Amino acid sequence: MLCRVNLTAAGIEVLEADNGRDALELIRRELPDLVLLDVMMPDLDGWEVARRLAADPKTREIPIVFLTARAGEADRRLGEQLGGVGYVVKPFDPVRIGDLVEEVLTRIEQGEREALRRGILDDMLGSP
Amino acid sequence: MSRSSAETGLSLEALADAADRANRLQRVTDRLAEALTPQQVLDAILTEGLRAAEARAGAIGIVSEDGEWIELLAQRGYKRPILTEWGRFPVSAELPMSHVVRNGEPLFLESLKARNELFPNLEGRGRDGHALAVLPLALEGRILGVIGLSFGDDMVFSEERRKMKITLARQAALALERARLFEAEQAARQRLAFLAEASELLGSSLDYEQTLSRLARLSVRRLADWCSIDMVAADGSIDRLAVAHEDPDKVKWALELQERYPPDPDAPHGVSLVIRTGKPEFLPELPEEMLEEAIGDDDVLREIVEQLGVRSSICVPLNARGRTLGALTLIAAESHPPYTSADLELAIELARRAGTAVDNSRLFQEAEKGANAARALAYVADGVVLIDGSGVVRHWNPAAATITGVPEEEALGRRVHSVLPAWESLVSHVPLVGPDEALARPVTVPIVLQGRELWVSASGVDFGEGTVYALRDVTDEHALEKTRSDFVATASHELRTPLAAVYGAVRTLRREDIELREEDRLAFLEIIEDESVRLTQLVDQILLAGQLDANAVQIDLEPCDPVQIASGVLESASLHLPDGISLRVESNGVGAILCDANKLRQVLVNLVDNAVKYSPKGGEVEIRVDSEDGECQIEVADQGLGIPSSERERIFDKFYRLDPQQSGGVGGSGLGLYICRELVERMNGHLDVDSEPGKGSRFTVALPASG
């Protein structure tokens, strides 16, 4: 909800799902430009959702930014392996989430997807 | 009779003389037969023998062991003190006795003139006698000694007289030899008895230092005036273990002497030489020059040596298994006669036995030390494994057997790689240090042994002949450590999620660039409130777990109504219930129980929260309160995910989470059930679980009824 309010304020159209299963269905149906994916979710966790999106040629190219409380390096590596282009550790500043989405999309357009992926270990939004 | 005498030309007088000589000879023979010791033989010869030979005086000399000297042992009838004057003279001398010893033939000198003709060097000496008969004491071609008989006048030695004297000498030689053999046998018997006594002493104790001191004292009574025992120390120096003498003051004096004049390990004689060479040193007579060399210009030392009065010494090595362990020194001084080769043999045998006893005692001590070490290692919780230079297992203590699952008898004497195929992968990570280096740092390594995964902390010391490894099974510690680090990660996730919500809501509420709808603004405020409560609960749980560990939780037991508590819990839970979950409480007329109402409430809140959390698809959560056998049972049952049987006990472990990745989306600190069980047990009850995966779980709190 926090993200939705701030993203909408930035002029970004937002679709929301409460759990992994609904999220997967929504993404497959709507094919969004970018997915902000929480890791700890009921039913299917964020890792599994990312795995299934990567396995499907239709959704493989959709960039994923993980939003998670898991700050460990092993978790970031897993995010990288699963094709994430961004990794945002909670708590983060939701006011800047719109700028982040714009920046990621612009860089992907400029062919910097790999550079984003390799930079996944860096925090994209500073902690308070 | 007279005719016959006339026929042989012998006078009646001559016959009487002959009979008289025969009688006298018979008396000598009788006396000699009775004589047992050499001294008794000498006495017999010099009394009855002199009489029989009609001599005025006589002396007996014995040839020394080396055949070079004649020692005058006894005399009878001489006015001059010839034993002092002639005590000892060479066989090579130009003297009648030496002459006879050299030639082995009797010598009859009928006058001084005849003597001086044969021995011009004696001209003017020995005027005591006139005629002289010198007879060899010969036996089977060996010359044992010589008898000299002096007569008052010049004398014609008739054939009969000569024969009679030769017979006398032959009988004397026989008697002397017999007495010597008897004496030698007696001495041998005594030596054997001494050796037997010494052996018994040596075998009496394993404290060889004490035993050798007693041996020195025993030797002083039987073998020596002085006896000392020196041992080679570990650093190669020589330590005096014992000094013995009959007089304790002399022992004290000798020990002081030892302090003042410590032994020179490079000395060319004595203990140092014997220890260096492992060979005996025998000085039947202590050479003057050796004493002089040892004394030098030291007048004090000279006085000491004179006081010691050393005449003869034996120093023999204490050898065992090709090594010289020390030396035994025997000294004949004021009372003991100079040593003979028989004494040397006895000393060698004594030292051989003492060396063996010392060696045995040391071997036993080493074995006992080894056995003590092995006993200690048997009780050590760490596995201790000794591998020799060729990779063969030499020690494998019970802890090593427990850790590896390989019994000692299957490991000992076998190559470690065949005993334990995983050995190489284990020790390849272990850095070895030398025996003198700093303590080996253990490394923790995972290995798979007989299908089990173990974490082993291992360290190794290479001591040249092999390597000793210490192993410790740290699987449990490793699991605990992992649980702890998992908890830190979990706790941080758990704290980050409500923090993110609070921070995010505040940041959004404070945005001035956008207009928030009223319903969104209220929703953000609610988020802040709810998440703050969640944070508080989390922090409380962490604190409570810490207090339980420190045994600092106060429990106040009093009679309570369990149904009332259960109903209250369900009532609060129903206020924020997710969709699809229904709650109900069932009871069966249960009486009061003895518990701390607040703590029981806390337990039930937690169990109901869990039931709701692990029922993501909804379902019924029921609390059933029953009593049975003076016990009240409160069951919290759900229709949720359930718990695999392998996890049912572990869910009560501190920090343990059924789903540490939280992939099911269920958050928690991993402390809830640990806290529940701890609290119930502190109220004298127990908490158990029953579950069927996919169908739900049933937690049962059992508490004693009141009164």
Side-chain angles (χ1 to χ4, degrees), chain A:
Chain A
M1 174 181 182
L2 281 168
C3 288
R4 173 172 55 75
V5 170
N6 287 291
L7 286 166
T8 309
I12 296 167
E13 190 187 342
V14 182
L15 299 170
E16 268 184 290
D18 282 344
N19 60 59
R21 204 168 296 281
D22 291 351
L24 195 60
E25 204 185 303
L26 186 66
I27 298 164
R28 282 175 174 160
R29 195 174 63 230
E30 301 292 337
L31 298 176
D33 296 322
L34 183 139
V35 175
L36 290 170
L37 190 57
D38 204 337
V39 173
M40 282 188 275
M41 287 189 294
D43 272 357
L44 281 184
D45 67 13
W47 305 134
E48 190 53 33
V49 172
R51 221 170 265 129
R52 294 191 189 184
L53 290 177
D56 184 346
K58 251 180 22 175
T59 55
R60 188 184 291 156
E61 295 302 317
I62 301 174
I64 298 171
V65 173
F66 290 102
L67 295 184
T68 176
R70 307 182 71 90
E73 189 174 318
D75 291 314
R76 290 167 190 262
R77 295 267 178 220
L78 184 57
E80 181 192 7
Q81 281 167 23
L82 294 174
V85 294
Y87 199 93
V88 177
V89 177
K90 294 177 187 176
F92 59 89
D93 183 358
V95 177
R96 290 171 53 206
I97 193 86
D99 297 343
L100 173 77
V101 169
E102 294 290 355
E103 186 193 333
V104 169
L105 287 174
T106 310
R107 287 184 64 184
I108 286 173
E109 259 173 46
Q110 292 167 352
E112 290 180 35
R113 190 184 182 108
E114 263 316 292
L116 279 168
R117 224 166 68 76
R118 281 198 303 274
I120 199 165
L121 296 185
D122 304 326
D123 269 342
M124 301 194 84
L125 290 175
S127 286

Side-chain angles (χ1 to χ4, degrees), chain A residues 2 6 92-97 126 128, chain B residues 499-514 516 524 528:
Chain A
L2 281 168
N6 287 291
F92 59 89
D93 183 358
V95 177
R96 290 171 53 206
I97 193 86
Chain B
L499 272 175
V502 172
Y503 177 64
V506 171
R507 287 283 292 157
T508 311
L509 282 172
R510 292 187 60 183
R511 279 188 82 157
E512 291 174 353
D513 56 333
I514 59 168
L516 284 177
F524 286 143
I528 292 169

Side-chain angles (χ1 to χ4, degrees), chain B residues 5 28 137 167 201 229 263 312 384 424 427 450 460 469 494 543:
Chain B
S5 299
V28 179
L137 293 172
T167 305
L201 172 66
I229 296 176
S312 171
V384 178
E424 192 56 53
V427 298
Q450 304 185 338
Y469 291 96
E494 289 302 312
L543 284 177

Side-chain angles (χ1 to χ4, degrees), chain B residues 89-264:
Chain B
F89 50 90
V91 168
S92 58
E94 279 311 309
L95 294 168
M97 278 186 161
S98 300
H99 178 88
V100 166
V101 168
R102 282 202 302 276
N103 298 322
E105 295 295 330
L107 181 65
F108 294 98
L109 300 166
E110 297 185 331
S111 62
L112 272 180
K113 187 170 168 247
R115 186 197 75 175
N116 291 344
E117 273 172 20
L118 201 55
F119 302 100
N121 54 318
L122 293 181
E123 182 84 46
R125 296 181 67 177
R127 290 167 194 276
D128 272 359
H130 295 272
L132 194 65
V134 186
L135 307 153
L137 293 172
L139 202 72
E140 294 165 3
R142 281 184 303 127
I143 310 293
L144 309 178
V146 58
I147 306 179
L149 299 170
S150 297
F151 298 86
D153 295 305
D154 291 350
M155 182 172 274
V156 175
F157 292 107
S158 67
E159 194 59 26
E160 287 78 17
R161 279 204 165 99
R162 289 185 183 213
K163 271 187 188 159
M164 188 265 175
K165 288 173 180 56
I166 289 167
T167 305
L168 175 72
R170 193 172 299 137
Q171 291 201 349
L174 266 172
L176 193 62
E177 178 70 354
R178 198 191 63 233
R180 274 178 158 191
L181 285 174
F182 177 76
E183 196 180 54
E185 198 229 15
Q186 287 287 93
R189 206 186 286 267
Q190 278 173 13
R191 281 197 288 271
L192 278 178
F194 173 76
L195 272 180
E197 198 177 339
S199 291
E200 196 180 330
L201 172 66
L202 289 169
S204 66
S205 160
L206 282 166
D207 178 352
Y208 71 82
E209 296 195 353
Q210 191 198 20
T211 314
L212 290 182
S213 298
R214 287 172 62 195
L215 180 69
R217 290 198 292 277
L218 185 71
S219 302
V220 156
R221 287 205 292 277
R222 310 286 182 79
L223 288 183
D225 290 309
W226 289 93
C227 175
S228 64
I229 296 176
D230 298 86
M231 300 302 290
V232 182
D235 63 358
S237 63
I238 297 171
D239 288 344
R240 179 141 293 177
L241 181 71
V243 180
H245 188 278
E246 287 279 51
D247 181 352
D249 285 342
K250 284 205 167 186
V251 171
K252 216 174 130 195
W253 172 70
L255 289 173
E256 285 168 12
L257 207 64
Q258 167 90 10
E259 288 270 305
R260 282 233 303 274
Y261 300 95
D264 171 9

Side-chain angles (χ1 to χ4, degrees), chain B residues 386-392 394 434-435 461-468:
Chain B
L386 175 64
I387 312 288
D388 71 11
S390 39
V392 172
R394 294 297 172 201
V461 176
D462 183 347
F463 60 95
E465 296 155 45
T467 312
V468 62

